[in-house]
Amino acid sequence: MATGVDPITGGDAPLLLEVEGMKCGGCVRAVEQRLLAQPGVRQASVNLLTRTAWVALDPALSPQGQPDPVQPLIEALAAMGYVAHQREEEEGGLPLAERLEQRSWWQRWRQLLVALLLLLVSAGGHLAEARQLPLPWLADMRLHAVVATLALALPGRPILVVGFRSALAGAPGMDTLVGLGMGSAYLASLVALLWPVVGWQCFFNEPVMLLGFVLLGRFIEERARLRTGDALRELWALQPDEALLLLGEGPQASVRPVRVGALGPGDRVRLLPGDRVPVDSRVLEGSSALDVSSLTGEPLPLEAQPGSELAAGSLNLQAPLVLEVLRPGRDSAVARIIGLVEQAQARKAPIQRLADQLAGRFTVVVLLLAAATFVFWWQWGTQLWPQVLAHAPSAHLHGGHRSLGMEAGTPLILAIQLSIAVLVVACPCALGLATPTAISVGSGRAARAGVLFRGGDGIEAAAALRTVLFDKTGTLTVGRPRLAALRVVDAAISDPQLIQVAASLEAQTRHPLAHALVERCQDLDLPLLSVERCTTHPGEGLQGELPGRGTVLVGRPEWLVAQGVAVGDPEHRWLSDQTRHGATAVAVALAGRLIGLLALEDQVRPDAVQALTQLGAMGLGLGLLSGDRQVAVERLGAALGLEGAQLAWGLLPQQKLERIEAARRRGPVAMVGDGINDAPALAAADLGIAVGTGTQVAMDSADLVVLGERLTTIPLALRLARRTMAKVRQNLAWAFGYNLVVIPIAAGVLLPGFGVLLSPPLAALLMALSSITVVINALMLGRDG
C-alpha cells in the first residue's frame, strides 16, 4: 500500500489489514496487543465490526534490513489463529460492499445450510427417541456419534482450531469457550459410548445442536452487521464505473467509454444529463445544474459554468458538459470522504477502549467460572441439594431423553452440563460489538448528511458538549464582502455608473472589496472601463486614469479628503451611519470631485440564525470569538441573538485559546471555524468543527468536518452524536446485563430452588441472540428522525 500522511495521526498513513477469525472483544484486545508488540508498530486500532486493523508504523523503530513491514505482522497474527492480509488499493479503490461480499459470501451461506442440517438431524433424533417419528434408526447413538464427529471435524473445525491457538497464545476468545464446550460434551459422550461401564449418559446431540445454533447465530449476526455499512456502499455508488473519454479536438473528437480508474489529470470527458461526475473535474464547455446533495447535503443545485470545479459523485441534471480531469478516482472527493469515514470507524471512542479491555479479560473470567461450576456441582452441589438430580429431567426443553444429555443421573454429568452451559452462554461478542456497531451506523449516517466525524472519540466528544464557540468571518458570515448600500453625490452619475467606475479601478487589484464590486458589476451586465496608470496605495486606496474623463480615486474617505477631495456634512453623516452598522465605507472621486460613496459588508449566512437557535434549544452555551472590530461583532451578535458575555472581538489566535480554556470550566467545548488562523483553536477545543468551504489546514485540524455551506448540519451532527452514544450505552448495558443475569442461571443458581437450568443448546441460542440484539439496536439508529 502506498504510504502518505495520515490526517488523524499526522505521521505515515497506516496500513489496513483484513483480519479473519475475530469473534469477540477479547479477540480485538488480543490482536491489538500482538500488533503493538511487533517492532516498528507505533499504533494499532482493531475494529471487530469491519474485521480490520489500522496499523501505524514508525520507520525509526522498524528492524534494519526489513524489506516488507507487513509480513511479520501477518505471521504474528497467524500464530494466534487469525488469517490476515493487507487490503490492496486498486485504481479507483474497491467498493466496501464488494470487499465484504467477496470475502465470505459463500462461506456464510454454507454455514447456514450446515447449521440447519445439524439442527434437523438433532431434532429428528429427539422426535425418534420420543417415538413421535417412526424412524427408530434416528435414535441410534452410533449414528449420532458419527454426526457429531463429522460436525466437529468439518464445520466445527475452524472454531476448534482458532479457539485452541488463541488459548495457546494466552488470549482465549469466544471460539475458545465454544470449542471447549463442544469438545468436552463430545469427549464425555464418546467415553460413555465406548466404555459403558462408566455409567455416563451419551449426549452427542448437545455438541451438534450447540454448533448449529452458534453457526445460525453467526450467520444472522453477519447479515445484520453488513447492513451497518450501507452508508459507505451508497457513497461508493456515487462513483460510476465508466466515463466517456474525449479523444481529439473540435467536431472530429471521438468518444470512448473507459474505466474510471484509467482516467488521469488532464484527460477530457463528456458528461451527459443524468450521469454522475466520474472524478473531480473542471468544466471546460457547457453550463448545467448539478445535484450535490449526496455529498454535501445541500438541497439547492449547483450552477456549473466553464471554470467551475465539480466533485466526483455530483449528478448532472440538465445539459451536456465537457470536463477536464483534475484528480484520479482514488484521490477524489468521494474517495476522501469514504477514507475519512473508514478511519473514523477504526479510531476508537474512549468508552470502546474500556469495553475492549473488559472483554479481553472476560473470557478468562468465564473459564474460571466454568471450572468453579464444574468442581462445585461435582463435589458439593448434589450433596447439598440431592433433589437436583431428580429435578434435572423435567426442568428443561428436552424432557427426559437421555441422548440429549439432560437426564443427569450422576454429579459428574450434571457438573459437565452446567459448566458447558456457562462456557457457551457467556457472550464477549456483545461487548465487542456494542460500540463499533453504533459508531459505524452513526458515522455513516452523518456522512450521508454531509458531516464527517474523524473518529469514535469525536462522536463521544460531540455528545458531551456543553458550549459551542464560533469564529465570525467565513463561518457565521459568508466571508466575502458584498455591496450593501451606496450614495450618489454627483447628479450626473447614476447608481450603475458609480458601481462601474469603482469596479473598473478595483478590478486592477486582488483586494477582497474588489471582488465584491466586480461581482456586482457583472450582475448588472456592465462592462469594465479601460483604466490606465493604475497605482495602489497600500491601506488607503487606488488611483488611476479613465481616458477622456480624468483621474479616479477609490479608497478610504479619509484618504480622499487628504488628496483634496471635499466631503460634505450629509455624506459624513451617511458614512458615520454605515460605520456604526459595521460596514466598510469606500469613497469614489472623479476629476477631483466626490461622485459617490459605497458601503460593503460581509453577509450573515442564511441559516446562521436557525442553526444557533437549534443549538440553544439543545441546551448548549453559545459564543462568538472574532478578531474583527467591536462594531461589526456586536452588530452580527444582535442579528444572531447573541449579546454581552457571548461576544468577544479583536482577538488574536492566542487569545482565542484562552477563551476556549475559560469556557472549558463549564464542560467540553466545541470550536467552529474555517480559516487558517482558526487551526490552533480547532485543535485546542474538545471538538474542532470545520466548515467544508474553509481551508484544508482548518479541516485537517478538526474532529468534525461540515461539507457544503449549511450551518444547520452542525446541530444535526450533534443530535446524531447524542443518539449514537445513547445506542452505545444501551448496547453496553444490555451486554453487561445479559451476562450478569444468564451466567449465574447457567451455573445452576436457580436449580436447587426452582429446578431451572439452561441446556447447552439453549445457552448457545441465547448467546447468539445477545450479539444480534446489539447489532439490530445499532441499526435502529438509522431509522431515528
Side-chain angles (χ1 to χ4, degrees):
M1 177 181 292
T3 59
V5 177
D6 176 22
I8 293 178
T9 63
D12 290 340
L15 302 169
L16 181 60
L17 301 179
E18 304 271 7
V19 183
E20 296 294 337
M22 296 189 296
K23 300 299 189 302
C24 63
C27 303
V28 170
R29 184 69 175 168
V31 170
E32 281 187 352
Q33 291 180 337
R34 178 56 63 95
L35 290 173
L36 289 171
Q38 304 307 307
V41 175
R42 176 167 52 88
Q43 181 183 2
S45 181
V46 179
N47 190 313
L48 177 62
L49 182 70
T50 58
R51 309 291 199 265
T52 56
W54 287 84
V55 183
L57 300 177
D58 188 345
L61 300 177
S62 300
Q64 297 295 325
Q66 178 65 55
D68 183 8
V70 180
Q71 192 58 35
L73 304 181
I74 295 176
E75 293 174 355
L77 295 181
M80 301 176 65
Y82 301 109
V83 178
H85 61 274
Q86 184 179 2
R87 179 183 295 177
E88 296 294 339
E89 297 290 347
E90 302 177 358
E91 288 286 344
L94 184 63
L96 177 68
E98 188 176 341
R99 291 200 305 263
L100 294 175
E101 290 174 0
Q102 287 180 353
R103 185 166 60 191
S104 54
W105 243 132
W106 166 241
Q107 179 182 359
R108 290 194 298 273
W109 278 108
R110 184 179 60 193
Q111 287 181 342
L112 175 62
L113 293 175
V114 171
L116 294 177
L117 180 62
L118 293 178
L119 292 176
L120 183 62
V121 172
S122 297
H126 182 178
L127 296 175
E129 190 176 20
R131 303 184 186 280
Q132 296 176 1
L133 190 66
L135 296 173
W137 56 271
L138 274 178
D140 192 333
M141 282 300 99
R142 290 170 296 182
L143 171 64
H144 287 282
V146 173
V147 171
T149 302
L150 292 176
L152 268 63
L154 298 175
R157 183 175 180 274
I159 296 177
L160 296 172
V161 171
V162 173
F164 179 73
R165 286 184 177 178
S166 58
L168 283 182
M174 190 68 236
D175 282 344
T176 305
L177 299 180
V178 175
L180 189 57
M182 292 190 305
S184 57
Y186 175 80
L187 292 176
S189 300
L190 190 62
V191 170
L193 179 65
L194 297 179
W195 293 283
V197 69
V198 299
W200 296 359
Q201 294 97 333
C202 287
F203 42 97
F204 285 110
N205 281 22
E206 292 292 347
V208 173
M209 294 190 71
L210 193 160
L211 178 61
F213 279 126
V214 168
L215 295 180
L216 177 61
R218 289 185 177 178
F219 175 83
I220 298 174
E221 175 192 322
E222 185 77 3
R223 290 291 298 162
R225 186 178 66 82
L226 281 176
R227 290 189 55 199
T228 63
D230 285 348
L232 285 184
R233 284 189 285 275
E234 291 179 12
L235 287 173
W236 272 113
L238 297 179
Q239 285 187 306
D241 295 327
E242 289 188 344
L244 299 178
L245 179 65
L246 280 174
L247 301 175
E249 298 291 340
Q252 305 301 322
S254 61
V255 178
R256 291 185 182 178
V258 298
R259 290 189 309 106
V260 170
L263 295 176
D267 288 341
R268 295 182 305 134
V269 297
R270 173 166 293 167
L271 187 70
L272 301 178
D275 289 347
R276 291 193 179 273
V277 178
V279 291
D280 291 353
S281 310
R282 180 187 294 110
V283 178
L284 294 179
E285 300 175 15
S287 299
S288 183
L290 287 95
D291 180 1
V292 296
S293 59
S294 298
L295 290 173
T296 67
E298 295 287 348
L300 298 179
L302 171 68
E303 297 296 332
Q305 299 176 345
S308 301
E309 291 192 8
L310 306 179
S314 303
L315 177 64
N316 187 14
L317 299 176
Q318 293 179 337
L321 297 173
V322 175
L323 309 178
E324 178 188 8
V325 176
L326 297 178
R327 286 172 288 276
R330 60 178 175 270
D331 298 327
S332 68
V334 172
R336 177 174 171 79
I337 291 172
I338 293 172
L340 288 174
V341 174
E342 288 187 320
Q343 291 179 21
Q345 294 174 354
R347 184 170 157 185
K348 295 182 179 180
I351 194 171
Q352 182 178 347
R353 296 190 189 99
L354 175 62
D356 287 347
Q357 290 175 357
L358 294 175
R361 301 178 177 89
F362 180 79
T363 306
V364 176
V365 173
V366 172
L367 289 172
L368 295 176
L369 288 175
T373 300
F374 175 82
V375 173
F376 175 81
W377 287 107
W378 180 30
Q379 295 295 326
W380 303 295
T382 53
Q383 296 180 19
L384 294 174
W385 300 287
Q387 72 274 17
V388 297
L389 294 180
H391 284 169
S394 59
H396 43 75
L397 293 177
H398 301 311
H401 305 296
R402 296 170 60 89
S403 65
L404 296 175
M406 296 307 297
E407 186 176 313
T410 65
L412 179 60
I413 295 301
L414 179 62
I416 291 175
Q417 292 167 356
L418 293 177
S419 60
I420 291 174
V422 171
L423 288 172
V424 176
V425 80
C427 190
C429 302
L431 280 175
L433 289 170
T435 301
T437 50
I439 295 294
S440 177
V441 175
S443 58
R445 184 160 185 249
R448 287 206 305 267
V451 180
L452 298 179
F453 284 101
R454 287 191 176 273
D457 49 351
I459 294 179
E460 187 169 348
L465 287 178
R466 292 295 177 266
T467 305
V468 180
L469 303 176
F470 287 85
D471 175 51
K472 173 183 172 287
T473 305
T475 302
L476 291 173
T477 65
V478 177
R480 298 184 300 273
R482 294 183 179 179
L483 183 62
L486 60 82
R487 177 183 175 86
V488 175
V489 178
D490 190 338
I493 299 293
S494 65
D495 290 2
Q497 286 175 328
L498 175 62
I499 296 172
Q500 185 182 34
V501 170
S504 298
L505 204 62
E506 290 283 2
Q508 313 302 313
T509 181
R510 294 182 178 273
H511 195 278
L513 298 181
H515 176 77
L517 293 173
V518 172
E519 182 179 51
R520 182 59 179 159
C521 196
Q522 292 174 343
D523 291 341
L524 296 173
D525 291 327
L526 297 174
L528 295 177
L529 303 175
S530 176
V531 178
E532 298 177 353
R533 296 187 294 277
C534 184
T535 304
T536 300
H537 298 265
E540 302 292 352
L542 298 169
Q543 179 178 348
E545 296 289 333
L546 287 180
R549 302 184 65 178
T551 301
V552 179
L553 299 177
V554 179
R556 296 174 58 243
E558 296 83 359
W559 178 62
L560 266 69
V561 171
Q563 300 300 313
V565 177
V567 179
D569 290 339
E571 285 71 38
H572 275 298
R573 286 192 295 270
W574 189 89
L575 289 170
S576 298
D577 187 57
Q578 296 300 321
T579 303
R580 188 165 55 251
H581 286 84
T584 300
V586 175
V588 183
L590 177 61
R593 297 176 57 251
L594 182 69
I595 64 172
L597 302 171
L598 304 169
L600 300 100
E601 61 180 345
D602 198 356
Q603 302 293 313
V604 180
R605 286 188 184 270
D607 62 345
V609 174
Q610 181 183 359
L612 268 63
T613 301
Q614 293 178 2
L615 291 172
M618 295 171 62
L620 296 170
L622 302 174
L624 173 58
L625 307 181
S626 176
D628 207 346
R629 298 164 297 155
Q630 178 179 352
V631 173
V633 172
E634 288 181 337
R635 183 167 182 266
L636 177 61
L640 299 175
L642 303 177
E643 57 185 13
Q646 293 177 302
L647 304 177
W649 52 83
L651 300 180
L652 298 174
Q654 180 59 37
Q655 292 173 314
K656 288 186 178 182
L657 299 183
E658 295 171 358
R659 292 277 182 163
I660 291 174
E661 286 300 323
R664 188 174 280 130
R665 301 191 190 103
R666 298 189 296 272
V669 178
M671 178 67 193
V672 186
D674 81 312
I676 190 170
N677 62 318
D678 296 323
L682 295 177
D686 297 285
L687 182 77
I689 304 176
V691 293
T693 51
T695 65
Q696 188 63 46
V697 175
M699 288 191 284
D700 286 344
S701 304
D703 304 297
L704 173 62
V705 177
V706 177
L707 302 174
E709 299 186 356
R710 292 190 306 147
L711 290 178
T712 49
T713 54
I714 294 176
L716 182 151
L718 300 187
R719 286 194 298 268
L720 183 58
R722 289 183 177 184
R723 292 199 298 270
T724 300
M725 293 311 299
K727 290 295 184 184
V728 169
R729 288 188 288 270
Q730 292 169 12
N731 283 350
L732 288 175
W734 165 258
F736 282 109
Y738 161 83
N739 285 297
L740 289 175
V741 171
V742 298
I743 290 179
I745 295 176
V749 169
L750 300 181
L751 184 57
F754 301 95
V756 174
L757 55 80
L758 294 177
S759 68
L762 181 57
L765 179 61
L766 290 176
M767 180 269 294
L769 290 177
S770 69
S771 299
I772 296 168
T773 299
V774 299
V775 178
I776 293 177
N777 186 46
L779 288 172
M780 295 301 292
L781 180 65
R783 299 175 179 268
D784 294 343

Coordinates of all heavy atoms in Angstrom, one line a residue, residues 205-238:
N205 N -26.0 -35.3 20.9 CA -26.8 -34.2 20.3 C -26.4 -32.8 20.8 O -26.7 -31.8 20.2 CB -28.3 -34.4 20.5 CG -28.9 -35.5 19.6 OD1 -28.1 -36.3 19.0 ND2 -30.2 -35.4 19.4
E206 N -25.9 -32.8 22.0 CA -25.5 -31.5 22.6 C -24.5 -30.7 21.8 O -24.8 -29.6 21.4 CB -25.0 -31.7 24.1 CG -26.1 -32.2 25.0 CD -27.2 -31.1 25.3 OE1 -27.0 -29.9 24.9 OE2 -28.2 -31.5 25.8
P207 N -23.3 -31.3 21.5 CA -22.4 -30.5 20.7 C -22.9 -30.2 19.3 O -22.6 -29.2 18.7 CB -21.1 -31.4 20.6 CG -21.6 -32.8 20.9 CD -22.8 -32.6 21.9
V208 N -23.8 -31.1 18.7 CA -24.3 -30.9 17.4 C -25.3 -29.7 17.4 O -25.2 -28.8 16.6 CB -25.0 -32.2 16.9 CG1 -25.7 -31.9 15.5 CG2 -24.0 -33.3 16.7
M209 N -26.2 -29.7 18.3 CA -27.1 -28.6 18.4 C -26.4 -27.3 18.8 O -26.8 -26.2 18.4 CB -28.3 -28.9 19.4 CG -29.2 -30.1 19.0 SD -30.6 -30.2 20.0 CE -31.6 -28.8 19.5
L210 N -25.5 -27.4 19.7 CA -24.7 -26.2 20.1 C -24.0 -25.6 18.9 O -24.1 -24.4 18.7 CB -23.7 -26.7 21.2 CG -23.0 -25.6 22.0 CD1 -22.4 -26.2 23.3 CD2 -21.8 -24.9 21.3
L211 N -23.4 -26.4 18.1 CA -22.7 -25.9 16.9 C -23.7 -25.3 15.9 O -23.5 -24.3 15.3 CB -21.9 -27.0 16.2 CG -21.2 -26.6 14.9 CD1 -20.1 -25.5 15.2 CD2 -20.5 -27.9 14.3
G212 N -24.8 -26.0 15.8 CA -25.9 -25.5 14.9 C -26.4 -24.1 15.3 O -26.5 -23.2 14.4
F213 N -26.7 -23.9 16.5 CA -27.1 -22.6 17.0 C -26.0 -21.6 16.9 O -26.3 -20.4 16.5 CB -27.6 -22.7 18.4 CG -29.0 -23.3 18.6 CD1 -29.3 -24.3 19.4 CD2 -30.1 -22.7 17.9 CE1 -30.5 -24.8 19.5 CE2 -31.3 -23.2 18.0 CZ -31.6 -24.3 18.8
V214 N -24.8 -21.9 17.1 CA -23.7 -21.0 17.0 C -23.6 -20.5 15.6 O -23.4 -19.3 15.3 CB -22.4 -21.6 17.5 CG1 -21.2 -20.7 17.1 CG2 -22.4 -21.7 19.0
L215 N -23.6 -21.5 14.6 CA -23.4 -21.1 13.2 C -24.6 -20.3 12.7 O -24.5 -19.3 11.9 CB -23.3 -22.3 12.4 CG -22.0 -23.2 12.6 CD1 -21.9 -24.4 11.7 CD2 -20.7 -22.3 12.4
L216 N -25.8 -20.7 13.2 CA -27.0 -19.9 12.8 C -27.0 -18.5 13.3 O -27.2 -17.5 12.6 CB -28.3 -20.6 13.3 CG -29.6 -19.9 13.0 CD1 -29.8 -19.8 11.5 CD2 -30.8 -20.7 13.7
G217 N -26.6 -18.4 14.6 CA -26.5 -17.0 15.2 C -25.4 -16.2 14.5 O -25.6 -15.0 14.2
R218 N -24.3 -16.8 14.1 CA -23.2 -16.0 13.4 C -23.7 -15.6 12.0 O -23.3 -14.5 11.6 CB -21.9 -16.8 13.4 CG -21.3 -16.9 14.7 CD -19.9 -17.6 14.7 NE -19.3 -17.6 16.0 CZ -18.2 -18.2 16.3 NH1 -17.5 -18.8 15.3 NH2 -17.7 -18.2 17.5
F219 N -24.5 -16.4 11.4 CA -25.0 -16.0 10.0 C -25.9 -14.8 10.2 O -25.8 -13.8 9.4 CB -25.7 -17.2 9.4 CG -26.3 -16.8 8.1 CD1 -25.6 -16.8 6.9 CD2 -27.7 -16.5 8.0 CE1 -26.2 -16.5 5.7 CE2 -28.3 -16.1 6.8 CZ -27.5 -16.1 5.7
I220 N -26.8 -14.9 11.1 CA -27.8 -13.8 11.3 C -27.0 -12.5 11.7 O -27.3 -11.4 11.2 CB -28.8 -14.2 12.3 CG1 -29.7 -15.4 11.8 CG2 -29.8 -13.0 12.6 CD1 -30.6 -15.9 12.8
E221 N -26.1 -12.7 12.6 CA -25.3 -11.5 13.1 C -24.5 -10.9 11.9 O -24.4 -9.7 11.8 CB -24.3 -12.0 14.1 CG -23.3 -10.9 14.6 CD -22.2 -11.5 15.5 OE1 -22.5 -12.4 16.3 OE2 -21.1 -11.0 15.3
E222 N -23.9 -11.8 11.0 CA -23.2 -11.2 9.9 C -24.1 -10.5 8.9 O -23.7 -9.4 8.4 CB -22.5 -12.4 9.2 CG -21.5 -12.0 8.1 CD -20.2 -11.4 8.6 OE1 -20.0 -11.4 9.8 OE2 -19.4 -11.0 7.7
R223 N -25.2 -11.0 8.7 CA -26.2 -10.4 7.8 C -26.6 -9.0 8.4 O -26.6 -8.0 7.6 CB -27.4 -11.2 7.6 CG -27.2 -12.5 6.8 CD -26.9 -12.2 5.4 NE -28.1 -11.5 4.7 CZ -28.0 -10.8 3.6 NH1 -26.8 -10.7 3.0 NH2 -29.0 -10.2 3.1
A224 N -26.8 -8.9 9.7 CA -27.1 -7.7 10.3 C -25.9 -6.7 10.3 O -26.1 -5.5 10.1 CB -27.7 -7.9 11.7
R225 N -24.8 -7.3 10.5 CA -23.5 -6.5 10.6 C -23.2 -5.8 9.2 O -22.8 -4.7 9.2 CB -22.4 -7.3 11.0 CG -21.1 -6.6 11.3 CD -20.0 -7.6 11.7 NE -19.6 -8.5 10.7 CZ -18.8 -8.2 9.7 NH1 -18.2 -7.0 9.6 NH2 -18.5 -9.1 8.8
L226 N -23.5 -6.5 8.1 CA -23.3 -6.0 6.8 C -24.1 -4.7 6.6 O -23.7 -3.8 5.9 CB -23.5 -7.0 5.7 CG -22.5 -8.1 5.5 CD1 -22.9 -9.1 4.5 CD2 -21.2 -7.4 5.1
R227 N -25.3 -4.7 7.2 CA -26.2 -3.5 7.0 C -25.6 -2.3 7.6 O -26.0 -1.1 7.2 CB -27.5 -3.8 7.5 CG -28.3 -4.8 6.7 CD -29.8 -4.9 7.2 NE -30.4 -3.6 7.2 CZ -31.5 -3.3 7.9 NH1 -32.0 -4.1 8.7 NH2 -32.0 -2.0 7.8
T228 N -24.7 -2.4 8.5 CA -24.1 -1.2 9.1 C -23.2 -0.5 8.1 O -22.8 0.7 8.4 CB -23.3 -1.6 10.4 OG1 -22.2 -2.4 10.0 CG2 -24.1 -2.3 11.4
G229 N -22.8 -1.1 7.0 CA -22.0 -0.5 6.0 C -22.8 0.1 4.9 O -22.2 0.5 3.8
D230 N -24.1 0.2 5.0 CA -25.0 0.7 3.9 C -24.6 2.1 3.5 O -24.6 2.4 2.3 CB -26.5 0.7 4.4 CG -27.0 -0.7 4.4 OD1 -26.4 -1.6 3.8 OD2 -28.1 -0.9 4.9
A231 N -24.3 2.9 4.5 CA -23.9 4.3 4.1 C -22.7 4.4 3.2 O -22.7 5.2 2.2 CB -23.7 5.1 5.4
L232 N -21.7 3.6 3.5 CA -20.5 3.6 2.7 C -20.8 3.0 1.3 O -20.2 3.5 0.3 CB -19.4 2.8 3.4 CG -18.7 3.5 4.6 CD1 -17.5 2.6 5.1 CD2 -18.2 4.9 4.2
R233 N -21.6 2.0 1.3 CA -21.9 1.5 0.0 C -22.7 2.5 -0.9 O -22.5 2.6 -2.1 CB -22.8 0.2 0.1 CG -22.0 -1.0 0.6 CD -22.8 -2.3 0.5 NE -23.7 -2.4 1.6 CZ -23.5 -2.8 2.8 NH1 -22.2 -3.2 3.1 NH2 -24.4 -2.9 3.8
E234 N -23.5 3.3 -0.3 CA -24.2 4.4 -1.0 C -23.2 5.4 -1.5 O -23.3 5.9 -2.6 CB -25.3 5.0 -0.1 CG -26.4 4.1 0.2 CD -27.4 4.8 1.1 OE1 -27.3 6.0 1.3 OE2 -28.3 4.1 1.6
L235 N -22.2 5.7 -0.7 CA -21.2 6.7 -1.2 C -20.4 6.1 -2.3 O -20.1 6.8 -3.3 CB -20.2 7.0 0.0 CG -20.8 7.9 1.1 CD1 -19.8 8.1 2.2 CD2 -21.1 9.3 0.5
W236 N -20.0 4.8 -2.2 CA -19.3 4.2 -3.4 C -20.1 4.2 -4.6 O -19.6 4.3 -5.7 CB -18.8 2.8 -3.0 CG -17.5 2.7 -2.3 CD1 -17.3 2.3 -1.0 CD2 -16.3 3.0 -2.8 NE1 -16.0 2.4 -0.7 CE2 -15.3 2.8 -1.8 CE3 -15.8 3.5 -4.1 CZ2 -13.9 3.0 -2.0 CZ3 -14.4 3.7 -4.2 CH2 -13.5 3.5 -3.2
A237 N -21.4 4.1 -4.5 CA -22.3 4.0 -5.6 C -22.3 5.3 -6.4 O -22.8 5.4 -7.5 CB -23.7 3.6 -5.2
L238 N -21.9 6.4 -5.7 CA -21.8 7.7 -6.4 C -20.8 7.8 -7.5 O -20.9 8.7 -8.4 CB -21.6 8.8 -5.4 CG -22.6 9.0 -4.2 CD1 -22.1 10.1 -3.3 CD2 -24.0 9.3 -4.8

